[in-house]
Amino acid sequence: MLGGIEAGGTKFVLAVGPSPDRITARHTIPTRDPATTLAEAADWLAGQGGLTALGIGSFGPVELDRTSPRWGFITATPKPGWADCDVAGYLGQALGVPVGFDTDVNAAALAEYAASGNVAGSLAYLTIGTGIGGGLVLDGKPVHGIAHPELGHIYPRRHPQDMDFAGICPSHGDCLEGLASGPAIIARWGMSLSELAADHPGHAIIADYIAQACHMLFASVAVEEVVIGGGVANTPGLVERVAARTRELDAGYLPGGTRHRVIRPRLGGDAGIIGALMLAEAAAKA
Ligand code: ZN
């Protein structure tokens, strides 16, 4: 039996199943302080019985270097209490099973890659919600680099109708997350994107910023697909707008451009937890 945790800043989604595509039980708990939350997660998972491995897709930043003594830690997060938290170590010890660990968005990218039937030889997963993050699978493997990608913190070119807003990222101001995350939208217009009138310029402005990230992914690492999830991505028409704007930005230049796709998750909201179970499956085999 595989166990999975999608560890988010506001909730932990827990699940078990004999394989990643067969979830037999799931449970959601609010993210409180680490001691309470991790104990509650371990209790529920232990209560399911017969666990052989655990996979965790976590909010970050996280340490993914297997040779580091801090592997499996959430590292420098501003979230109170969670900095330098040994998430994988605690849960591995509490449950007595091998642990697979990656970012929440790399886990989601892995699951979407599998769900595509490997149609996409390479794929990026962007989540647009309270924050913005992105995971990458290239040639079937999640990309870590020297840490892990932080795609929410690239600087897009400012939209001409959006020159006055300073952005809300505490580190960068007008990075992608500072401009296009849910809180950035509310900071500008006092409501969510889906609440804005259909003819409000905000729709085109936000789509433009996300499209710049998609174009960057197609142009830099030549992924075939960008999958866009997260709460803001549920805004009707947004992903279609992003896809159209991405094609405009490319202007027919990129080789392979006809194969590029910007799409909603095939797995809906389950990409993260299914990806966590895939990490468990890999840990069981390691
Ligand atoms: Zn930033």
Side-chain angles (χ1 to χ4, degrees):
M1 186 73 97
L2 305 171
I5 301 179
E6 182 184 10
T10 54
K11 63 180 181 179
F12 272 41
V13 179
L14 318 172
V16 294
S19 63
D21 57 348
R22 287 177 57 208
I23 292 174
T24 50
R26 69 164 74 203
H27 184 56
T28 300
I29 59 175
T31 308
R32 293 188 280 252
D33 63 283
T36 310
T37 313
L38 296 178
E40 203 176 337
D43 280 353
W44 186 84
L45 288 163
Q48 304 309 304
L51 211 64
T52 50
L54 175 68
I56 306 165
S58 179
F59 75 92
V62 293
E63 178 57 76
L64 299 178
D65 177 0
R66 270 280 181 186
T67 66
S68 164
R70 282 156 54 85
W71 174 85
F73 277 52
I74 290 175
T75 56
T77 180
K79 190 169 174 58
W82 285 87
D84 298 311
C85 177
D86 183 9
V87 175
Y90 174 89
L91 290 166
Q93 201 151 49
L95 295 164
V97 295
V99 177
F101 185 78
D102 212 318
T103 62
D104 47 3
V105 279
N106 265 348
L110 270 176
E112 285 291 327
Y113 177 75
S116 76
N118 307 348
V119 194
S122 51
L123 170 153
Y125 180 92
L126 280 180
T127 179
I128 317 285
T130 308
I132 295 183
L136 280 167
V137 172
L138 296 183
D139 301 325
K141 292 197 178 67
V143 172
H144 294 160
I146 56 163
H148 50 79
E150 283 284 358
L151 290 166
H153 298 275
I154 60 172
Y155 290 101
R157 178 174 63 183
R158 295 300 295 263
H159 190 281
Q161 286 175 271
D162 188 41
M163 300 303 284
D164 297 332
F165 179 61
I168 61 158
C169 176
S171 300
H172 311 117
D174 61 349
C175 66
L176 183 61
E177 180 170 295
L179 291 172
S181 60
I185 291 165
I186 289 169
R188 275 210 219 53
W189 300 306
M191 58 185 86
S192 72
L193 200 59
S194 54
E195 290 164 338
L196 289 181
D199 60 351
H200 191 284
H203 294 288
I205 292 169
I206 298 304
D208 175 61
Y209 291 141
I210 301 168
Q212 291 187 56
C214 295
H215 178 67
M216 181 278 294
L217 287 161
F218 290 135
S220 60
V221 285
V223 290
E224 185 166 350
E225 247 176 31
V226 181
V227 179
I228 302 183
V232 175
N234 290 329
T235 307
L238 176 66
V239 173
E240 293 74 11
R241 255 180 221 273
V242 171
R245 181 62 184 146
T246 305
R247 279 192 296 278
E248 280 178 15
L249 291 172
D250 174 37
Y253 175 79
L254 291 174
T258 54
R259 290 167 61 188
H260 290 163
R261 287 185 299 277
V262 175
I263 60 167
R264 304 296 316 278
R266 289 179 173 86
L267 299 168
D270 279 352
I273 189 64
I274 292 173
L277 289 163
M278 290 177 68
L279 295 172
E281 189 176 48
K285 287 176 188 159

